[in-house]
Amino acid sequence: MAAHRRSRMSLTRTQLGALGFTLAFAASAIGQEPVLVATDARFGSPMVYRIDASTARVLEAVPLTGTGTIGPTPLAGLTFDGQDRLIGYTPSTDNTVYEVNRVTGEANRIGPLRLSAREGGMALAEDGTIFAARTGTPTRLFTIDPRTGSASTAIRLDLTTDISGLAVRDDGMLVALDLRETDGPAALREIDPNTGATRVLATLAAGGPFDNVGGMTIIDGPDGSVGYFVVTGDTTGAAAELWRFDPYAGDQILVGEIIGDDGPVAAITGLAGLPCERCTADLDGDCSTTLFDFLEFSNWFDAGESRADINGDGTLDVIDFLFFLGVFEVGC
């Protein structure tokens, strides 16, 4: 990688004042809505959806391509990793981990799971661990290496479940969307990833019976954690429903049916979320452009750090600072 050099045109704090830039402008924050991405269950023609978290309306829809060995294959689980890459794994016909471009729908193969898994779920923990679950008997948790796709069996759960979505709370506990209705109603289920012990967090407020696939995510934002899950009724023509829930209390509220330009969306097999759509000027990752982002960039720039080469031309100079001011003014 080429070394970044400091140009004679680089700015000091005193010179910044001469530009007439005032920090008062930097104090205005521009927040964003959560990012929700889902995939559906159609073999041969699966789709990737961008969904409005407030209305359940489909904002964008593109075909999922590049998965499977015998044609486009849906994903059994979906999550964003620590670098905001969207990744998922295909079910037992392929059992491979893919990185998905959520704008184009194109999937690139990462590697095989090296274990058999049907529908299940995926979730990113705070330490970077990617947990996944496979339904069936026995139900097991496993972890996935995002570099190779290889899975490692983690632990057996203390009961049989039909996990169709998985998420991680900020206390490290897992929350699963358990659609098994044989021994009782479908439920949100809390799982201890260290022991496999489970307990019912709350019975699903949505009316069953349910299709056997769904999705779940928990988004940690500035105002706390919010969970989302998707279920579909087990009847012909039933539309998928987006629900919002409290990850600790289990309280649930219907956001709405997931509807796009072509009508209602049916069964969803994966749901992943981010607190916001990241932008160039949001340096601290809080989903806003604020005074703290400006000060962070100023510190990088004054120290001659390569991170301040925001236009990527290999030189730290006044152009980088002006470029940052431009993207900062646009905000997130």
Side-chain angles (χ1 to χ4, degrees):
M1 181 180 295
H4 289 78
R5 57 190 178 85
R6 191 70 177 267
S7 166
R8 292 180 180 177
M9 294 180 66
S10 61
L11 303 179
T12 65
R13 291 183 186 274
T14 301
Q15 289 169 326
L16 284 175
L19 283 176
F21 182 80
T22 62
L23 292 180
F25 169 77
S28 61
I30 306 174
Q32 285 197 324
E33 292 297 315
V35 174
L36 286 181
V37 179
T39 53
D40 66 21
R42 293 181 292 179
F43 276 87
S45 59
M47 299 289 289
V48 179
Y49 301 100
R50 169 77 183 276
I51 299 171
D52 188 319
S54 300
T55 66
R57 181 76 187 180
V58 173
L59 302 175
E60 297 172 353
V62 293
L64 175 64
T65 61
T67 59
T69 57
I70 57 175
T73 302
L75 300 172
L78 195 66
T79 191
F80 285 102
D81 71 0
Q83 285 73 51
D84 291 355
R85 297 186 309 160
L86 184 65
I87 64 173
Y89 73 86
T90 47
S92 50
T93 55
D94 188 34
N95 275 164
T96 298
V97 178
Y98 294 87
E99 178 182 353
V100 179
N101 184 317
R102 58 189 171 93
V103 176
T104 67
E106 181 181 359
N108 291 311
R109 187 177 187 272
I110 295 177
L113 276 178
R114 303 191 187 281
L115 60 74
S116 178
R118 295 187 294 155
E119 72 267 13
M122 295 177 68
L124 175 70
E126 187 176 358
D127 64 0
T129 300
I130 294 179
F131 285 100
R134 63 179 184 185
T135 191
T137 306
T139 304
R140 289 189 181 276
L141 293 175
F142 55 95
T143 58
I144 295 176
D145 185 334
R147 300 166 301 173
T148 65
S150 182
S152 299
T153 300
I155 199 166
R156 178 174 175 170
L157 300 191
D158 64 359
L159 81 169
T160 299
T161 62
D162 181 4
I163 292 179
S164 297
L166 193 68
V168 181
R169 285 194 321 217
D170 55 12
D171 65 351
M173 297 291 283
L174 301 177
V175 179
L177 177 64
D178 182 4
L179 297 181
R180 182 178 173 87
E181 299 174 271
T182 304
D183 304 317
L188 302 178
R189 191 172 294 277
E190 183 183 283
I191 302 173
D192 186 329
N194 299 307
T195 66
T198 69
R199 76 173 186 90
V200 172
L201 179 63
T203 298
L204 289 192
F210 299 103
D211 197 348
N212 62 358
V213 293
M216 171 180 281
T217 188
I218 293 176
I219 299 176
D220 296 324
D223 300 323
S225 298
V226 179
Y228 297 88
F229 67 84
V230 177
V231 291
T232 306
D234 189 19
T235 57
T236 302
E241 295 179 346
L242 177 67
W243 288 73
R244 186 167 57 244
F245 74 97
D246 184 319
Y248 285 91
D251 298 335
Q252 305 152 54
I253 184 170
L254 174 65
V255 177
E257 291 186 346
I258 300 177
I259 299 176
D261 292 339
D262 297 328
V265 174
I268 292 293
T269 61
L271 184 67
L274 291 173
C276 63
E277 194 74 70
R278 300 288 173 83
C279 68
T280 304
D282 178 20
L283 303 183
D284 59 9
D286 69 351
C287 300
S288 302
T289 49
T290 67
L291 170 64
F292 299 104
D293 296 301
F294 177 81
L295 294 177
E296 184 78 1
F297 179 79
S298 297
N299 290 335
W300 293 353
F301 190 88
D302 285 350
E305 294 189 26
S306 61
R307 291 179 292 180
D309 178 24
I310 200 165
N311 68 353
D313 66 357
T315 300
L316 302 183
D317 56 23
V318 67
I319 304 302
D320 291 297
F321 218 104
L322 294 176
F323 186 91
F324 178 77
L325 294 186
V327 296
F328 185 88
E329 183 176 3
V330 172
C332 292

Short mmCIF file of all heavy atoms in Angstrom, two decimals, residues 32-38 48-61 217 219 228-230 240-244 254-260 265 271-274 277:
data_model
loop_
_atom_site.label_atom_id
_atom_site.label_comp_id
_atom_site.label_asym_id
_atom_site.label_seq_id
_atom_site.Cartn_x
_atom_site.Cartn_y
_atom_site.Cartn_z
N GLN A 32 -30.75 9.11 11.05
CA GLN A 32 -31.23 8.25 9.98
C GLN A 32 -32.11 7.15 10.53
O GLN A 32 -32.07 6.84 11.73
CB GLN A 32 -30.05 7.61 9.25
CG GLN A 32 -29.32 8.57 8.33
CD GLN A 32 -28.45 7.80 7.36
OE1 GLN A 32 -27.88 6.79 7.69
NE2 GLN A 32 -28.36 8.29 6.15
N GLU A 33 -32.89 6.58 9.64
CA GLU A 33 -33.73 5.44 9.99
C GLU A 33 -32.92 4.15 9.91
O GLU A 33 -31.92 4.08 9.19
CB GLU A 33 -34.91 5.37 9.03
CG GLU A 33 -35.91 6.51 9.17
CD GLU A 33 -36.57 6.53 10.54
OE1 GLU A 33 -36.97 5.45 11.01
OE2 GLU A 33 -36.66 7.61 11.13
N PRO A 34 -33.35 3.11 10.63
CA PRO A 34 -32.65 1.82 10.54
C PRO A 34 -32.70 1.25 9.12
O PRO A 34 -33.60 1.54 8.35
CB PRO A 34 -33.44 0.93 11.51
CG PRO A 34 -34.15 1.87 12.42
CD PRO A 34 -34.45 3.08 11.60
N VAL A 35 -31.71 0.42 8.81
CA VAL A 35 -31.65 -0.28 7.54
C VAL A 35 -32.13 -1.71 7.77
O VAL A 35 -31.57 -2.43 8.59
CB VAL A 35 -30.21 -0.30 6.99
CG1 VAL A 35 -30.12 -1.15 5.73
CG2 VAL A 35 -29.73 1.12 6.72
N LEU A 36 -33.17 -2.13 7.05
CA LEU A 36 -33.65 -3.50 7.13
C LEU A 36 -33.55 -4.14 5.74
O LEU A 36 -34.06 -3.58 4.76
CB LEU A 36 -35.11 -3.57 7.60
CG LEU A 36 -35.40 -3.30 9.07
CD1 LEU A 36 -36.89 -3.43 9.34
CD2 LEU A 36 -34.63 -4.25 9.97
N VAL A 37 -32.87 -5.29 5.68
CA VAL A 37 -32.73 -6.03 4.43
C VAL A 37 -33.25 -7.44 4.66
O VAL A 37 -32.98 -8.06 5.70
CB VAL A 37 -31.26 -6.09 3.98
CG1 VAL A 37 -31.12 -6.89 2.69
CG2 VAL A 37 -30.71 -4.68 3.78
N ALA A 38 -34.01 -7.96 3.71
CA ALA A 38 -34.59 -9.30 3.83
C ALA A 38 -34.42 -10.06 2.52
O ALA A 38 -34.26 -9.47 1.45
CB ALA A 38 -36.07 -9.22 4.19
N VAL A 48 -33.90 -9.92 -2.98
CA VAL A 48 -33.35 -9.16 -1.87
C VAL A 48 -34.18 -7.89 -1.74
O VAL A 48 -34.37 -7.17 -2.72
CB VAL A 48 -31.87 -8.80 -2.10
CG1 VAL A 48 -31.32 -7.97 -0.94
CG2 VAL A 48 -31.03 -10.05 -2.31
N TYR A 49 -34.67 -7.61 -0.53
CA TYR A 49 -35.55 -6.46 -0.31
C TYR A 49 -34.92 -5.48 0.67
O TYR A 49 -34.34 -5.88 1.69
CB TYR A 49 -36.89 -6.91 0.28
CG TYR A 49 -37.65 -7.90 -0.56
CD1 TYR A 49 -37.62 -9.26 -0.28
CD2 TYR A 49 -38.41 -7.47 -1.65
CE1 TYR A 49 -38.33 -10.17 -1.05
CE2 TYR A 49 -39.13 -8.38 -2.42
CZ TYR A 49 -39.07 -9.72 -2.11
OH TYR A 49 -39.77 -10.63 -2.88
N ARG A 50 -35.07 -4.21 0.39
CA ARG A 50 -34.82 -3.15 1.37
C ARG A 50 -36.18 -2.71 1.88
O ARG A 50 -37.06 -2.35 1.08
CB ARG A 50 -34.07 -2.00 0.70
CG ARG A 50 -33.99 -0.73 1.55
CD ARG A 50 -32.96 -0.81 2.65
NE ARG A 50 -32.96 0.39 3.46
CZ ARG A 50 -32.29 1.51 3.15
NH1 ARG A 50 -31.56 1.54 2.07
NH2 ARG A 50 -32.35 2.56 3.94
N ILE A 51 -36.39 -2.75 3.20
CA ILE A 51 -37.71 -2.55 3.79
C ILE A 51 -37.70 -1.34 4.71
O ILE A 51 -36.77 -1.16 5.52
CB ILE A 51 -38.14 -3.81 4.57
CG1 ILE A 51 -38.22 -5.02 3.63
CG2 ILE A 51 -39.47 -3.59 5.26
CD1 ILE A 51 -38.43 -6.33 4.35
N ASP A 52 -38.72 -0.51 4.62
CA ASP A 52 -38.89 0.63 5.50
C ASP A 52 -39.27 0.11 6.89
O ASP A 52 -40.31 -0.55 7.04
CB ASP A 52 -39.99 1.55 4.95
CG ASP A 52 -40.10 2.86 5.71
OD1 ASP A 52 -40.00 2.86 6.95
OD2 ASP A 52 -40.29 3.90 5.05
N ALA A 53 -38.44 0.39 7.89
CA ALA A 53 -38.68 -0.13 9.23
C ALA A 53 -39.89 0.49 9.91
O ALA A 53 -40.41 -0.05 10.88
CB ALA A 53 -37.44 0.10 10.10
N SER A 54 -40.38 1.62 9.39
CA SER A 54 -41.52 2.30 10.00
C SER A 54 -42.86 1.89 9.41
O SER A 54 -43.90 1.97 10.07
CB SER A 54 -41.37 3.82 9.87
OG SER A 54 -40.19 4.27 10.50
N THR A 55 -42.84 1.44 8.14
CA THR A 55 -44.10 1.16 7.45
C THR A 55 -44.19 -0.26 6.90
O THR A 55 -45.28 -0.68 6.49
CB THR A 55 -44.29 2.13 6.28
OG1 THR A 55 -43.28 1.88 5.29
CG2 THR A 55 -44.19 3.57 6.74
N ALA A 56 -43.06 -0.97 6.82
CA ALA A 56 -42.96 -2.31 6.22
C ALA A 56 -43.04 -2.24 4.69
O ALA A 56 -43.08 -3.28 4.03
CB ALA A 56 -44.01 -3.27 6.76
N ARG A 57 -43.03 -1.07 4.13
CA ARG A 57 -43.08 -0.93 2.68
C ARG A 57 -41.73 -1.32 2.07
O ARG A 57 -40.66 -1.00 2.61
CB ARG A 57 -43.39 0.52 2.32
CG ARG A 57 -43.50 0.79 0.81
CD ARG A 57 -44.80 0.29 0.26
NE ARG A 57 -44.84 0.39 -1.22
CZ ARG A 57 -45.86 0.02 -1.96
NH1 ARG A 57 -46.94 -0.47 -1.38
NH2 ARG A 57 -45.83 0.12 -3.28
N VAL A 58 -41.76 -2.04 0.94
CA VAL A 58 -40.53 -2.39 0.22
C VAL A 58 -40.02 -1.15 -0.51
O VAL A 58 -40.73 -0.58 -1.35
CB VAL A 58 -40.77 -3.54 -0.78
CG1 VAL A 58 -39.52 -3.76 -1.63
CG2 VAL A 58 -41.15 -4.81 -0.05
N LEU A 59 -38.81 -0.74 -0.18
CA LEU A 59 -38.21 0.43 -0.81
C LEU A 59 -37.46 0.06 -2.08
O LEU A 59 -37.45 0.83 -3.04
CB LEU A 59 -37.26 1.12 0.17
CG LEU A 59 -37.87 1.56 1.49
CD1 LEU A 59 -36.79 2.12 2.42
CD2 LEU A 59 -38.96 2.61 1.25
N GLU A 60 -36.80 -1.10 -2.06
CA GLU A 60 -36.05 -1.58 -3.22
C GLU A 60 -36.17 -3.09 -3.25
O GLU A 60 -36.24 -3.75 -2.21
CB GLU A 60 -34.57 -1.19 -3.12
CG GLU A 60 -34.32 0.31 -3.12
CD GLU A 60 -32.87 0.64 -2.82
OE1 GLU A 60 -32.10 -0.30 -2.50
OE2 GLU A 60 -32.50 1.82 -2.91
N ALA A 61 -36.17 -3.66 -4.46
CA ALA A 61 -36.23 -5.11 -4.64
C ALA A 61 -35.40 -5.50 -5.85
O ALA A 61 -35.60 -4.95 -6.94
CB ALA A 61 -37.67 -5.58 -4.81
N THR A 217 -33.90 -9.73 13.57
CA THR A 217 -32.70 -8.94 13.81
C THR A 217 -32.95 -8.04 15.01
O THR A 217 -34.09 -7.72 15.33
CB THR A 217 -32.32 -8.10 12.57
OG1 THR A 217 -31.05 -7.48 12.77
CG2 THR A 217 -33.35 -7.00 12.31
N ILE A 219 -31.41 -4.30 16.43
CA ILE A 219 -30.60 -3.15 16.06
C ILE A 219 -30.32 -2.33 17.31
O ILE A 219 -31.26 -1.89 17.99
CB ILE A 219 -31.30 -2.30 15.00
CG1 ILE A 219 -31.53 -3.14 13.73
CG2 ILE A 219 -30.48 -1.06 14.68
CD1 ILE A 219 -32.29 -2.41 12.65
N TYR A 228 -36.73 -6.69 15.42
CA TYR A 228 -37.69 -6.86 14.33
C TYR A 228 -37.74 -8.34 13.96
O TYR A 228 -36.71 -9.02 13.97
CB TYR A 228 -37.30 -6.05 13.09
CG TYR A 228 -37.28 -4.56 13.30
CD1 TYR A 228 -36.13 -3.92 13.76
CD2 TYR A 228 -38.40 -3.78 13.03
CE1 TYR A 228 -36.10 -2.54 13.94
CE2 TYR A 228 -38.38 -2.40 13.20
CZ TYR A 228 -37.22 -1.79 13.67
OH TYR A 228 -37.20 -0.43 13.85
N PHE A 229 -38.92 -8.84 13.64
CA PHE A 229 -39.01 -10.18 13.09
C PHE A 229 -40.08 -10.21 12.00
O PHE A 229 -40.95 -9.34 11.94
CB PHE A 229 -39.27 -11.24 14.16
CG PHE A 229 -40.61 -11.17 14.84
CD1 PHE A 229 -41.74 -11.76 14.29
CD2 PHE A 229 -40.73 -10.54 16.09
CE1 PHE A 229 -42.97 -11.71 14.93
CE2 PHE A 229 -41.95 -10.49 16.74
CZ PHE A 229 -43.08 -11.06 16.16
N VAL A 230 -39.99 -11.23 11.15
CA VAL A 230 -40.93 -11.41 10.05
C VAL A 230 -41.53 -12.80 10.13
O VAL A 230 -40.79 -13.79 10.29
CB VAL A 230 -40.25 -11.22 8.68
CG1 VAL A 230 -41.25 -11.47 7.55
CG2 VAL A 230 -39.69 -9.81 8.55
N ALA A 240 -46.13 -11.71 4.14
CA ALA A 240 -45.21 -11.63 5.27
C ALA A 240 -45.53 -10.38 6.10
O ALA A 240 -45.88 -9.33 5.54
CB ALA A 240 -43.77 -11.59 4.77
N GLU A 241 -45.40 -10.51 7.41
CA GLU A 241 -45.65 -9.39 8.31
C GLU A 241 -44.37 -9.00 9.03
O GLU A 241 -43.65 -9.87 9.52
CB GLU A 241 -46.72 -9.75 9.35
CG GLU A 241 -48.09 -10.02 8.78
CD GLU A 241 -49.09 -10.41 9.86
OE1 GLU A 241 -48.65 -10.74 11.00
OE2 GLU A 241 -50.29 -10.40 9.57
N LEU A 242 -44.11 -7.70 9.11
CA LEU A 242 -42.99 -7.17 9.89
C LEU A 242 -43.49 -6.74 11.25
O LEU A 242 -44.44 -5.96 11.35
CB LEU A 242 -42.35 -5.98 9.16
CG LEU A 242 -41.20 -5.29 9.90
CD1 LEU A 242 -39.98 -6.22 10.01
CD2 LEU A 242 -40.80 -3.99 9.19
N TRP A 243 -42.85 -7.27 12.30
CA TRP A 243 -43.19 -6.93 13.68
C TRP A 243 -41.98 -6.30 14.36
O TRP A 243 -40.84 -6.67 14.08
CB TRP A 243 -43.61 -8.18 14.47
CG TRP A 243 -44.95 -8.71 14.08
CD1 TRP A 243 -45.26 -9.39 12.94
CD2 TRP A 243 -46.15 -8.63 14.85
NE1 TRP A 243 -46.59 -9.72 12.94
CE2 TRP A 243 -47.16 -9.28 14.10
CE3 TRP A 243 -46.47 -8.09 16.09
CZ2 TRP A 243 -48.47 -9.38 14.56
CZ3 TRP A 243 -47.77 -8.19 16.55
CH2 TRP A 243 -48.76 -8.82 15.80
N ARG A 244 -42.23 -5.36 15.25
CA ARG A 244 -41.20 -4.75 16.09
C ARG A 244 -41.37 -5.28 17.51
O ARG A 244 -42.51 -5.44 17.98
CB ARG A 244 -41.31 -3.23 16.05
CG ARG A 244 -40.19 -2.49 16.78
CD ARG A 244 -40.19 -1.00 16.43
NE ARG A 244 -41.45 -0.35 16.74
CZ ARG A 244 -42.25 0.19 15.82
NH1 ARG A 244 -41.93 0.12 14.54
NH2 ARG A 244 -43.37 0.78 16.18
N LEU A 254 -47.26 -4.83 15.62
CA LEU A 254 -47.24 -5.05 14.18
C LEU A 254 -46.88 -3.76 13.47
O LEU A 254 -47.52 -2.73 13.67
CB LEU A 254 -48.61 -5.55 13.71
CG LEU A 254 -48.80 -5.71 12.20
CD1 LEU A 254 -47.88 -6.79 11.64
CD2 LEU A 254 -50.26 -6.02 11.88
N VAL A 255 -45.84 -3.82 12.61
CA VAL A 255 -45.51 -2.67 11.76
C VAL A 255 -46.41 -2.68 10.54
O VAL A 255 -46.98 -1.66 10.16
CB VAL A 255 -44.03 -2.71 11.34
CG1 VAL A 255 -43.72 -1.55 10.40
CG2 VAL A 255 -43.11 -2.67 12.56
N GLY A 256 -46.58 -3.87 9.91
CA GLY A 256 -47.47 -3.97 8.76
C GLY A 256 -47.09 -5.12 7.86
O GLY A 256 -46.08 -5.80 8.05
N GLU A 257 -47.93 -5.38 6.88
CA GLU A 257 -47.60 -6.36 5.86
C GLU A 257 -46.51 -5.80 4.96
O GLU A 257 -46.49 -4.60 4.67
CB GLU A 257 -48.84 -6.70 5.02
CG GLU A 257 -49.89 -7.48 5.78
CD GLU A 257 -51.03 -7.93 4.87
OE1 GLU A 257 -51.12 -7.40 3.73
OE2 GLU A 257 -51.81 -8.79 5.28
N ILE A 258 -45.60 -6.68 4.52
CA ILE A 258 -44.52 -6.25 3.64
C ILE A 258 -45.04 -6.24 2.22
O ILE A 258 -45.36 -7.29 1.64
CB ILE A 258 -43.31 -7.19 3.79
CG1 ILE A 258 -42.81 -7.17 5.24
CG2 ILE A 258 -42.19 -6.78 2.84
CD1 ILE A 258 -41.66 -8.13 5.51
N ILE A 259 -45.16 -5.05 1.66
CA ILE A 259 -45.77 -4.87 0.35
C ILE A 259 -44.84 -4.05 -0.54
O ILE A 259 -44.31 -3.01 -0.12
CB ILE A 259 -47.14 -4.19 0.47
CG1 ILE A 259 -48.09 -5.06 1.30
CG2 ILE A 259 -47.74 -3.91 -0.91
CD1 ILE A 259 -49.44 -4.43 1.55
N GLY A 260 -44.65 -4.51 -1.76
CA GLY A 260 -43.83 -3.81 -2.73
C GLY A 260 -44.65 -3.37 -3.92
O GLY A 260 -45.89 -3.47 -3.93
N VAL A 265 -45.33 -9.40 -0.31
CA VAL A 265 -44.21 -10.34 -0.31
C VAL A 265 -44.61 -11.54 0.53
O VAL A 265 -45.22 -11.40 1.60
CB VAL A 265 -42.94 -9.68 0.27
CG1 VAL A 265 -41.82 -10.69 0.41
CG2 VAL A 265 -42.51 -8.51 -0.60
N LEU A 271 -33.51 -11.87 7.70
CA LEU A 271 -33.70 -10.45 8.00
C LEU A 271 -32.45 -9.95 8.70
O LEU A 271 -31.95 -10.58 9.64
CB LEU A 271 -34.92 -10.25 8.90
CG LEU A 271 -35.29 -8.80 9.22
CD1 LEU A 271 -35.77 -8.07 7.98
CD2 LEU A 271 -36.38 -8.76 10.31
N ALA A 272 -31.90 -8.83 8.23
CA ALA A 272 -30.70 -8.25 8.81
C ALA A 272 -30.87 -6.75 8.92
O ALA A 272 -31.59 -6.14 8.12
CB ALA A 272 -29.47 -8.59 7.96
N GLY A 273 -30.25 -6.14 9.92
CA GLY A 273 -30.44 -4.71 10.12
C GLY A 273 -29.18 -3.98 10.56
O GLY A 273 -28.28 -4.57 11.17
N LEU A 274 -29.14 -2.70 10.23
CA LEU A 274 -28.10 -1.78 10.68
C LEU A 274 -28.79 -0.57 11.30
O LEU A 274 -29.92 -0.24 10.93
CB LEU A 274 -27.23 -1.31 9.50
CG LEU A 274 -26.31 -2.33 8.83
CD1 LEU A 274 -25.68 -1.71 7.60
CD2 LEU A 274 -25.23 -2.80 9.80
N GLU A 277 -27.88 4.02 7.53
CA GLU A 277 -27.08 3.94 6.31
C GLU A 277 -25.84 4.78 6.56
O GLU A 277 -25.91 6.01 6.65
CB GLU A 277 -27.88 4.49 5.13
CG GLU A 277 -27.29 4.15 3.79
CD GLU A 277 -27.50 2.69 3.43
OE1 GLU A 277 -28.64 2.31 3.16
OE2 GLU A 277 -26.50 1.96 3.43
#
